[in-house]
Amino acid sequence: MSNIEQTLSIIKPDAVERNLDNAIKDMFKSNGFLIVKEKKIQIEKYEAEKFYKVHETKSFYNDLCSYLSSGPIVAMVLEKENAVLDNRELMGATNPKDALKGTIRERYGISIDKNSVHGSDSLKNAEIEINFFFKD
Ligand code: IDP
Ligand code: MG
């Protein structure tokens, strides 16, 4: 039985700034993901605060929201079987130091805050986050 899912991925400012968007998109494609929607944008801080609202009590919330809104990002809808979990696996651990070899964060992440990519952590959040960027 097939289980096609969609998930939201963001190439964060540190990676866009280093012109890594094509290399990261190639990693998605070569791992079986279809990029079904895509846009390069810069968001306002209040929008980042809304996007990351689940983290509002965390000490790093303010820096995180400043950072996500600090430069252009690429937001994408990725589609494949088990897209949500498979994307989390391809991204690697939140801290690039802990990310397994061959993952996006191991290859390109600079630090826990500049870790190059975002990916939805559940099917429910994927739907919410896709709507956040691609509501039409
Ligand atoms: P995730 O991106 O792997 O899902 P989350 O725990 O959802 O990780 O955290 C969201 C983002 O917040 C992370 O990608 C990272 O950039 C940042 N972050 C998480 N934990 C810390 C921390 O301890 N210090 C600084 N930034 C953090
Ligand atoms: Mg998360």
Side-chain angles (χ1 to χ4, degrees):
M1 206 174 77
S2 81
N3 182 38
I4 301 291
E5 295 174 354
Q6 292 190 337
T7 191
L8 184 88
S9 171
I10 301 173
I11 303 176
K12 293 183 175 181
D14 66 274
V16 175
E17 185 178 82
R18 288 176 288 151
N19 292 311
L20 292 170
D21 31 334
N22 283 326
I24 292 172
K25 282 193 262 177
D26 284 347
M27 286 181 77
F28 290 130
K29 291 181 214 164
S30 65
N31 282 276
F33 291 88
L34 291 176
I35 300 172
V36 298
K37 288 184 188 170
E38 172 182 349
K39 66 178 173 191
K40 190 173 189 175
I41 48 167
Q42 182 163 355
I43 61 172
E44 300 285 343
K45 189 171 180 193
Y46 79 88
E47 295 174 296
E49 286 168 349
K50 191 175 163 208
F51 181 77
Y52 273 133
K53 192 155 176 56
V54 291
H55 294 302
E56 71 183 333
T57 60
K58 311 267 173 68
S59 59
F60 55 84
Y61 178 64
N62 185 55
D63 287 346
L64 176 63
C65 297
S66 295
Y67 169 63
L68 193 71
S69 56
S70 67
I73 59 175
V74 180
M76 290 163 291
V77 176
L78 303 181
E79 186 176 289
K80 81 183 277 297
E81 276 202 18
N82 303 311
V84 173
L85 284 178
D86 284 3
N87 179 42
R88 294 294 306 190
E89 194 178 323
L90 181 58
M91 288 164 58
T94 305
N95 190 339
K97 282 187 196 145
D98 302 326
L100 296 180
K101 197 151 176 53
T103 62
I104 296 171
R105 285 167 163 171
E106 180 270 330
R107 275 194 199 165
Y108 301 124
I110 296 169
S111 57
I112 193 164
D113 45 328
K114 295 186 173 177
N115 59 6
S116 301
V117 280
H118 167 84
S120 308
D121 62 4
S122 67
L123 202 51
K124 174 120 196 337
N125 284 335
E127 195 184 329
I128 293 168
E129 292 179 358
I130 288 169
N131 271 323
F132 183 89
F133 281 101
F134 295 99
K135 202 168 160 72
D136 31 39

